[in-house]
């Protein structure tokens, strides 16, 4: 499993990376237009951080168990380049 601190660090990292993806006007235009075409609305960028922060550790653990560990059919390796 993972600790509460690790989980919160991961969520903060995701939110931070998303903010960095919106630095330039071109980046914003790309994201806003994709969000609009995807059906979530051009203002999704205002909702995204709260959606990520609202994810519960138990939800991630449950999905991990169901999709990654369920039948023991998957192996995941995470390495640094």
């Amino acid at each position: 499993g993972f600790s509460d601190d690790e989980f919160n660090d991961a969520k903060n990292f995701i939110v931070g990376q998303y903010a960095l993806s919106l630095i330039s006007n071109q980046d914003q235009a790309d994201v806003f237009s994709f969000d609009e075409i995807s059906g979530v609305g051009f203002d999704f960028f205002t909702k995204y951080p709260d959606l990520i922060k609202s994810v519960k550790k138990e939800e991630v653990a449950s999905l991990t168990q169901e999709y990654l560990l369920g039948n023991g059919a998957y192996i995941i390796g995470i390495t640094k380049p």
Side-chain angles (χ1 to χ4, degrees):
F2 41 89
S3 71
D4 290 340
D5 286 340
E6 290 171 324
F7 186 63
N8 289 325
D9 286 348
K11 290 194 298 186
N12 289 332
F13 176 80
I14 292 169
V15 169
Q17 289 298 305
Y18 184 71
L20 290 175
S21 76
L22 298 172
I23 288 180
S24 75
N25 289 338
Q26 179 65 49
D27 294 336
Q28 291 174 18
D30 289 344
V31 170
F32 299 167
S33 60
F34 177 80
D35 289 348
E36 186 67 24
I37 290 168
S38 300
V40 295
F42 74 93
D43 62 343
F44 182 69
F45 76 100
T46 63
K47 302 170 189 167
Y48 183 79
D50 290 333
L51 291 170
I52 294 299
K53 290 177 184 177
S54 72
V55 174
K56 306 272 187 286
K57 181 178 171 183
E58 297 77 20
E59 294 169 325
V60 173
S62 174
L63 290 170
T64 301
Q65 182 63 43
E66 182 177 351
Y67 291 103
L68 301 179
L69 305 174
N71 295 327
Y74 303 96
I75 296 175
I76 294 179
I78 300 174
T79 63
K80 290 185 177 183

